[in-house]
Amino acid sequence: MRWQKGSVAICLGLIWLSLGQVSQAADDPQAREIVDGVARLFISQSSIATVEMQITKEDLQRKIMMQFWSVGESNILIRIRSPQEDAGTAILKAGGKIWYYLPKANRTVKIPASMMMSPWMGSDFTLNDLVKQSRLTNDYVIVTSFDGQRDGVAMSEYTLTPKPAAVVVWGKIILEVRHADHMPVRQRYFDEDGKLVRELTFSEYKTVSGRLIPTRLVMRPTGQTVEQTTITYEKIIFGEPISAETFSRKNLKQ
Amino acid sequence: MSRRLLRLAWRNLWRNPRRTLIAMAAIGLGYAMLLFVACLMAGLRQQMVESGTDLVLSDAEVHAPSYYPDRPINQTLGGRDGTDVSALVAAIAADPGVEAASPRVYGYGLISAAHQSVGAQLLGVVPDQEQKITVLQSRMVKGSYLTGAVPKGVVMGDKLATTIGVEVGSEIVLLTPATDGSTGNDLYTVVGMFHTGLDAMDRDLVLMSLASLQDLLRLSPGRIHEVGIKLHDNDITAATKTAVALEVQLSKSFPVRVRAWPELAPELADYVQFNRRVTFILFLIFFLLAVMGIVNTTLMAIVARTRELGMLLAVGMRPVQLVGLIVAEAAILAGGSLVLGGALGSPVLWYLQIHGLYLGGSRGAISLGGVVVGPLWFGRQDFTAYTQAAVGLAVTAVVSALYPALRAARFRPTEALRKV
């Protein structure tokens, strides 16, 4: 009996300790800053990019070429250049809404939130991944879960768990960042049951317009041997002025 | 049993016509009641199954093995290259159990009008053939069903139309992931709206021509997802049997799965089982009532006839013959009663089958667990149940006469004769 009471006390103590650690880490401004930095890697006052998306499925290979224009994170325009079937399709994020311009129907369509999480263009990315740029630091509690050498590189691992009130789809995100330059290496997405769902790896870090960014992003759904989607930034310019016209619905039809 | 015994039994029955007629009325009415219950329950079963299968599901569906239930758009019948659709449909329609067959393509996507976009289920059909296997065309509330006149016309649920704010004649855009990974998109015209009473369909379903959905999904004309089938007999066992046979037959050309409605809509099959059980319990209750009536009448008759039976024994009838006599009386009585009950019941059964029972309700049909019922409750002839009830009642009448008969056989003639 006595022993049991003692162990309960120890347990409570441990829980208290770990809680203390979590809340302390959650408020760790440095972790917060680094994660925020990763989330904002491609966001700038303005950016223009040429991007190649290579989709590999068991029975399908597709290459999509597209161009991105963005001002901050609330105005984004994507134009698909190839392949032929999709060329001319444009996606606009403006005023908190997402619009799709369909050249075949010659119509502009508003995309409901429910479609944001479905695979985009047959890839492993969602429309949400491309245009939402949700601020991880707003929605997630950040804990440093590892600090040290991994594969010969000094890096930190941050575990992000959603805040109680946050409306997010992931149950947990684990982000690995290099110590030296705060560049992301790998981001793993887990569902609400704690199961790994997909894994995003970053590589080919390059300095563009004075900014260091990973120019190659590979998304792999878990349990797939062949399936993956690679995004390659072929060209990206930061800081070039873009007229407000660019993000108007009228401009979608081109 | 000798003829003499039968003649004696017949005469005995008419020695006291009132008693016999009362017994006949008890058994006959009991039988009529059982017929009524069986007919209504079979009708309810049929109506539930039909309303579950007639709108979209159909009695059986032919798919590529890996297509159902996830319905990935690239899993077409006959694989990547597809198949000769009209030959496949003809081969299915040639099966003796099949009434009609119709090819189908499924998709899902975004339906968008001027200001609103929502997700929807897309179903591509050949209108002429589809109308032979489902009855959606009879549920149109605005405009018309699909016609060849408007090749890019669509028909949708009335609630879906309200949600996106379109009328007959409005233009809509459909946006869907196509089989080649591109985004299929095109303009269509709303030609009609249906109301089925089932929310899932009224809110979610867009019907269009097979060719235009194939075009949207970038499927070649030989690629379809499904052949829907209407069967001559869609009873659970019959439907499953036909599906199995058809699967064996069709699998000779390329791998397919044929699923009958009990597999496609297990909840509907569960309902049928549930309904059968309820019918059985109701049967049991009415049966017990009928049995009590029979036992009561026979027992009373035997007691009242103690003197008469004692006399028969006294003049030399053997106990076995006496038992035979009483059982024969009961059998004749039961047979007559069943004929009477059947005669009384059949006009009612006929009426139920043709005109149905009006259940009322101001809003017409109601949807219950995914199927639409009412407001008319039609009966359906369930001859198996009728026969079972008849046999059951006849056996009961005879068996319930056995006990008093055996008692009478043990009478000592002298004692029996002394009774009044």
Side-chain angles (χ1 to χ4, degrees), chain A residues 42 51-57 123-126 129-130 174-175 184-189 196-205 214-222 224-233:
Chain A
F42 298 96
V51 175
E52 181 200 292
M53 185 184 257
Q54 176 76 45
I55 303 164
T56 308
K57 298 252 156 168
S123 75
D124 298 302
F125 287 91
T126 63
D129 292 325
L130 295 181
I174 295 181
L175 173 66
V185 176
R186 187 163 69 147
Q187 191 163 352
R188 280 174 293 164
Y189 299 81
L196 182 64
V197 179
R198 55 180 204 165
E199 183 181 293
L200 178 64
T201 48
F202 304 83
S203 59
E204 298 187 18
Y205 307 92
T215 57
R216 195 176 146 89
L217 284 71
V218 182
M219 185 72 89
R220 267 189 215 95
T222 309
Q224 290 291 338
T225 42
V226 217
E227 222 168 274
Q228 67 170 46
T229 302
T230 307
I231 287 182
T232 313
Y233 282 83

Side-chain angles (χ1 to χ4, degrees), chain A residues 62 86 102 104 107 110 121, chain B residues 117 171 180-183 185:
Chain A
R62 275 194 106 214
D86 286 317
L102 303 162
K104 191 176 173 200
R107 288 288 186 283
K110 195 173 114 189
M121 290 268 169
Chain B
S117 310
E171 267 187 346
D180 63 357
S182 68
T183 302
N185 64 90

